[in-house]
Amino acid sequence: MDRKKTQGQRVTLADVAKMAGVSKQTASRVVNDSAQVTEETRARVLKCIEVLGFRPSALARQLNSGRSYTLGVVANAEIGYLTNGAAYVGMVRQADQLGYALLSKEMREFSRSSVDIMLNHLIERHVDGIIWAGPEIGDSHAWMNDYPIDDLPMPIVVINAHPRAGVDTVGFDNFLAGKNATRHLLSLQRRHIGHISGPMQRWVSQQRWAGWRAALEEAGLAEEQSCYVEGDWEVTSGGPSLRRLLDVCPQLDAVFVGSDRMALGVLHEAHRMGLRVPEDIAVMGIDNDPQSAYFMPPLTTMHQNTVLMAEVALRLLVRRISERRDEPYPAACAEAEATVLTHELIARESTLGKSTA
Amino acid sequence: MDRKKTQGQRVTLADVAKMAGVSKQTASRVVNDSAQVTEETRARVLKCIEVLGFRPSALARQLNSGRSYTLGVVANAEIGYLTNGAAYVGMVRQADQLGYALLSKEMREFSRSSVDIMLNHLIERHVDGIIWAGPEIGDSHAWMNDYPIDDLPMPIVVINAHPRAGVDTVGFDNFLAGKNATRHLLSLQRRHIGHISGPMQRWVSQQRWAGWRAALEEAGLAEEQSCYVEGDWEVTSGGPSLRRLLDVCPQLDAVFVGSDRMALGVLHEAHRMGLRVPEDIAVMGIDNDPQSAYFMPPLTTMHQNTVLMAEVALRLLVRRISERRDEPYPAACAEAEATVLTHELIARESTLGKSTA
DNA sequence: CTGAAAGCGCTTACAG
DNA sequence: CTGAAAGCGCTTACAG
């Protein structure tokens, strides 16, 4: 199939045209399946394309069409972000289905100048749209409030961040997730329910924490709101956090942990301390990692479908792209916008005990 | 800073030139920090760039230079591939440092035509180089044997695959990893050492399996080579695999499990069956997931630094790109090529018992 | 059905 | 130090 070019020189449309004895745009028409070509000419051109091993240059094409069919993804690539990169997989897959490629960029710092650099990068590369998937840490997303986002040459969709006027966001209601998690523990007659949060500069952590507080308040247990320590979302911080929590709150009989990974550390430490789960202390996490069902005991947790979130965000973005250009968007993108996705309680032995195993 | 263009029209170099009253290539010189410009002119042009909010088009630039500063990554984005996507993070990061962006593509099928489609995609998009990170499944990589890889317009580096003549590969010696894992169990006086492999169409699984067999043979225990079942690398297959293994091999006193995830399933099932780990059965995995240290008991495993693998592969690729163009390559890429990376035994309670805890 | 012209936004020689 | 010309590889109107 592929004919080698001695010099690694690119085979161009002009080469094909010359060989086929037609003009460039006739060749172009064949490449683009335009109807206006004799079957005979078409066949000849196709033959030349094959013989020469011609591949159209997306670059040149993009330069004319003003469209790159590339989406930029800005992420803070911390290990384990968005549940083991599953969300990223969802994006790649959905992008592929919609005919787009993904350009990955990492951001490690969130100053205004870093944001500018990142946006410039993506604009220079003519991405058709942007998925902003960096976690909201401190005021990392503050620039969106005053930056003229609408003046960007392309639409942008933000993942799992504080909703902002004029910004498309897709994510979960982490407040409600935290609240429902705590309600589950309350429903099991626990009354001293502590919380180990993720890093508190993070919006997601704050939301879950606030949900926990709200549930306690709702149950008339506001005084328990002091049963709280901050972790870092990693498995290593689970054990130490549990110990600190027991210092603060010796009567602890349940704990809502801000991630399944930390919950594993908690289970491990509880075991070492001789605490029985759930008899002495009920433990629940949030994430529903695939492994959580195999912890000892299996972990009760809140499931958030991050893959779906990624797909929804991507479809919304592609839809916005089409809208800006007054083009019809793909049917797949016409689905209702679910900008706030729902979670699901996965109840297992770490709160229910063996009876239901 | 950024001046809005009413129509979303791109600000071009021509706009800047006109406003500054200079020619396009003088403006170009300023943008590219070329020396040959009066300080005065430079200042004027820079002012116009800022006022107009000009951003150079990477597309147009690439079209001339024949260089896109983009690397294609072909992956089979299965969940958990390359330990939680950590390898991908390594690539993004290293690419960024070397001034490249990453274009992600997923491959789910490995027929020759799929390969062609993928390569064409990447060639069309003018990537400067390719990281082939799809797992080697069956004959998924067979095309590399006869395909004129050298005739591709860009270099390619293959990750964790069977070495092939004329192909740059970066990966681990999984045979040796399997062998050393088994040796560890042998050193603990275990004599009935079973193996639960990953999917056997996969080259990596085959290698680890072969390493296990070699170690048994070396110890004069070739008859134990029947103590083997095939898993699928996921946590769900650990328990069922252990049961099947005990059917085949009732005297089992140790098991080398092909992934930490499956090992978790094994620990869970052993616990349910009343088997003590490691007294009744020693368990070891391979991967060294961050969580493995917190399993009950903590899991002995083989560590493979997939992040390093990704970085090494990327640097090698960038080096090859430079070599093809007879350009000096970045200092970072001059490091010795470590195409076969080493693993490390992480010994924990699941084989050693409590004494060392 | 097919082609000559102009242009996408920039850069690389070549002049001055 | 600066500019007019040609070109990267393709496409979009406009003619015929």
Side-chain angles (χ1 to χ4, degrees):
Chain A
M1 301 293 172
D2 313 316
R3 205 51 28 207
K4 14 180 156 174
K5 293 281 295 181
T6 28
Q7 269 312 324
Q9 291 286 341
R10 216 180 161 93
V11 181
T12 81
L13 196 61
D15 296 331
V16 173
K18 190 194 290 176
M19 182 172 180
V22 299
S23 70
K24 282 192 297 178
Q25 57 281 44
T26 297
S28 172
R29 285 187 188 105
V30 172
V31 172
N32 294 294
D33 269 330
S34 174
Q36 318 286 59
V37 189
T38 321
E39 201 42 61
E40 191 187 3
T41 338
R42 170 187 305 281
R44 190 152 34 94
V45 172
L46 283 175
K47 181 68 185 171
C48 297
I49 287 176
E50 191 180 318
V51 170
L52 292 171
F54 168 74
R55 276 120 166 184
S57 160
L59 244 46
R61 207 173 247 173
Q62 291 165 198
L63 200 55
N64 293 305
S65 66
R67 187 137 188 189
S68 67
Y69 284 99
T70 304
L71 269 20
V73 177
V74 178
N76 168 270
E78 47 186 22
I79 309 298
Y81 176 53
L82 295 181
T83 308
N84 303 339
Y88 190 75
V89 172
M91 283 186 226
V92 174
R93 204 161 277 183
Q94 185 70 65
D96 225 75
Q97 277 175 28
L98 297 172
Y100 285 81
L102 247 43
L103 195 68
S104 304
K105 277 295 193 178
E106 187 193 2
M107 257 189 106
R108 303 216 227 175
E109 198 222 324
F110 295 96
S111 66
R112 178 59 185 265
S113 66
S114 305
V115 169
D116 278 342
I117 290 171
M118 185 59 51
L119 289 176
N120 282 339
H121 260 301
L122 295 172
I123 293 172
E124 285 176 14
R125 283 171 175 277
H126 295 236
V127 298
D128 291 338
I130 298 175
I131 297 274
W132 199 270
E136 183 158 6
I137 301 177
D139 61 352
S140 67
H141 286 41
W143 61 275
M144 293 180 190
N145 294 329
D146 52 293
Y147 191 96
I149 276 205
D150 286 334
D151 294 338
L152 280 177
M154 71 285 284
I156 181 168
V157 169
V158 180
I159 276 185
N160 238 356
H162 192 88
R164 288 174 166 76
V167 180
D168 282 316
T169 56
V170 176
F172 295 94
D173 184 339
N174 283 291
F175 174 82
L176 192 57
K179 194 166 177 180
N180 285 341
T182 310
R183 281 168 168 166
H184 169 68
L185 295 170
L186 286 163
S187 76
L188 297 170
Q189 317 311 327
R190 306 289 168 154
R191 285 299 171 265
H192 303 285
I193 304 171
H195 178 48
I196 300 173
S197 74
M200 279 303 274
Q201 318 138 279
R202 301 182 67 126
W203 179 73
V204 167
S205 299
Q206 292 165 13
Q207 290 297 107
R208 292 174 180 178
W209 169 81
W212 163 75
R213 288 175 63 94
L216 289 181
E217 198 141 348
E218 184 181 65
L221 297 170
E223 73 279 7
E224 298 293 326
Q225 292 177 345
S226 59
C227 288
Y228 158 74
V229 301
E230 178 178 358
D232 67 5
W233 269 351
E234 298 312 318
V235 61
T236 44
S237 77
S241 296
L242 175 62
R243 286 188 169 277
R244 283 192 288 136
L245 196 53
L246 284 167
D247 285 345
V248 179
C249 185
Q251 345 80 298
L252 196 74
D253 60 11
V255 56
F256 164 45
V257 188
S259 75
D260 279 12
R261 282 172 288 156
M262 286 198 295
L264 175 60
V266 167
L267 292 178
H268 189 259
E269 188 66 20
H271 178 74
R272 285 183 50 175
M273 296 175 72
L275 292 172
R276 293 167 305 160
V277 176
E279 293 82 354
D280 298 324
I281 182 169
V283 176
M284 85 169 287
I286 178 164
D287 280 344
N288 195 27
D289 288 343
Q291 315 202 347
S292 305
Y294 295 85
F295 291 170
M296 292 192 276
L299 184 70
T300 293
T301 188
M302 297 298 283
H303 178 69
Q304 294 186 330
N305 190 340
T306 51
V307 175
L308 179 63
M309 173 178 70
E311 291 173 353
V312 167
L314 217 109
R315 287 199 295 262
L316 176 58
L317 181 59
V318 169
R319 179 175 170 166
R320 292 282 182 250
I321 292 169
S322 304
E323 286 172 351
R324 274 215 194 187
R325 298 175 191 248
D326 294 313
E327 295 169 3
Y329 40 81
C333 302
E335 294 172 21
E337 290 164 44
T339 52
V340 176
L341 302 162
T342 56
H343 49 258
E344 185 188 356
L345 175 69
I346 311 288
R348 301 200 186 100
E349 288 179 33
S350 74
T351 57
L352 298 181
K354 290 245 169 141
S355 50
T356 51
Chain B
M1 300 292 170
D2 315 314
R3 206 51 29 206
K4 15 181 156 174
K5 292 279 295 183
T6 26
Q7 268 313 325
Q9 291 285 341
R10 220 181 158 89
V11 181
T12 81
L13 196 60
D15 296 333
V16 173
K18 187 194 290 177
M19 183 170 178
V22 299
S23 69
K24 283 193 295 177
Q25 58 280 41
T26 297
S28 171
R29 287 186 186 104
V30 172
V31 171
N32 294 295
D33 268 330
S34 173
Q36 317 286 59
V37 188
T38 320
E39 201 42 60
E40 190 188 1
T41 336
R42 171 187 305 282
R44 190 150 35 93
V45 173
L46 283 176
K47 181 66 185 172
C48 296
I49 287 176
E50 190 180 318
V51 170
L52 292 171
F54 167 75
R55 278 118 169 185
S57 161
L59 243 46
R61 205 174 247 171
Q62 291 165 200
L63 201 55
N64 294 304
S65 65
R67 188 139 190 186
S68 66
Y69 285 100
T70 303
L71 268 22
V73 177
V74 178
N76 169 271
E78 46 185 23
I79 309 299
Y81 176 54
L82 296 181
T83 309
N84 303 339
Y88 190 76
V89 172
M91 285 187 225
V92 174
R93 204 162 277 183
Q94 186 71 67
D96 225 75
Q97 276 175 29
L98 296 171
Y100 285 81
L102 248 43
L103 195 67
S104 305
K105 277 294 193 180
E106 187 192 4
M107 256 187 106
R108 302 215 228 176
E109 197 222 325
F110 295 97
S111 67
R112 178 57 186 266
S113 65
S114 304
V115 169
D116 278 344
I117 289 172
M118 186 56 55
L119 291 176
N120 282 338
H121 260 303
L122 295 171
I123 293 172
E124 286 176 14
R125 283 172 175 276
H126 295 235
V127 298
D128 291 338
I130 298 175
I131 298 275
W132 198 270
E136 183 158 6
I137 301 177
D139 61 353
S140 68
H141 287 42
W143 63 274
M144 294 181 189
N145 295 328
D146 52 292
Y147 190 97
I149 276 205
D150 286 335
D151 294 337
L152 280 179
M154 71 285 282
I156 180 168
V157 169
V158 181
I159 276 186
N160 238 355
H162 192 88
R164 288 173 167 76
V167 180
D168 282 315
T169 55
V170 176
F172 296 94
D173 185 340
N174 284 290
F175 174 82
L176 192 57
K179 194 167 177 177
N180 284 342
T182 310
R183 281 168 167 164
H184 169 67
L185 295 170
L186 286 163
S187 76
L188 298 169
Q189 316 310 328
R190 305 291 169 153
R191 284 301 171 265
H192 303 286
I193 303 172
H195 177 48
I196 299 172
S197 74
M200 279 303 273
Q201 319 137 278
R202 302 182 66 127
W203 178 73
V204 167
S205 300
Q206 292 164 14
Q207 290 298 107
R208 292 175 180 177
W209 169 82
W212 162 75
R213 287 176 63 93
L216 290 181
E217 199 142 347
E218 185 181 65
L221 298 171
E223 74 279 6
E224 298 293 328
Q225 291 176 347
S226 59
C227 289
Y228 158 72
V229 300
E230 179 178 359
D232 67 4
W233 269 350
E234 297 313 318
V235 62
T236 45
S237 78
S241 295
L242 175 62
R243 286 187 169 278
R244 285 192 288 137
L245 196 55
L246 284 167
D247 285 344
V248 178
C249 186
Q251 343 82 296
L252 195 73
D253 61 10
V255 55
F256 164 45
V257 188
S259 74
D260 279 10
R261 281 172 289 155
M262 286 198 294
L264 176 60
V266 167
L267 293 178
H268 189 259
E269 187 66 19
H271 178 73
R272 285 183 50 175
M273 296 175 72
L275 292 172
R276 291 166 306 160
V277 176
E279 293 81 355
D280 299 323
I281 183 170
V283 177
M284 84 170 287
I286 178 165
D287 281 343
N288 195 25
D289 288 342
Q291 314 202 345
S292 305
Y294 295 86
F295 291 169
M296 292 191 272
L299 184 71
T300 294
T301 189
M302 298 297 282
H303 177 69
Q304 295 185 331
N305 190 341
T306 52
V307 176
L308 178 63
M309 174 178 70
E311 290 173 353
V312 167
L314 217 110
R315 286 198 296 260
L316 176 57
L317 181 60
V318 169
R319 179 175 170 168
R320 292 283 182 251
I321 292 169
S322 304
E323 286 172 352
R324 275 215 193 186
R325 300 175 189 247
D326 295 312
E327 294 170 2
Y329 41 81
C333 302
E335 294 172 20
E337 291 163 42
T339 53
V340 175
L341 302 163
T342 56
H343 49 258
E344 185 188 356
L345 175 69
I346 311 289
R348 301 200 185 101
E349 288 180 32
S350 74
T351 58
L352 299 181
K354 290 249 168 139
S355 51
T356 50

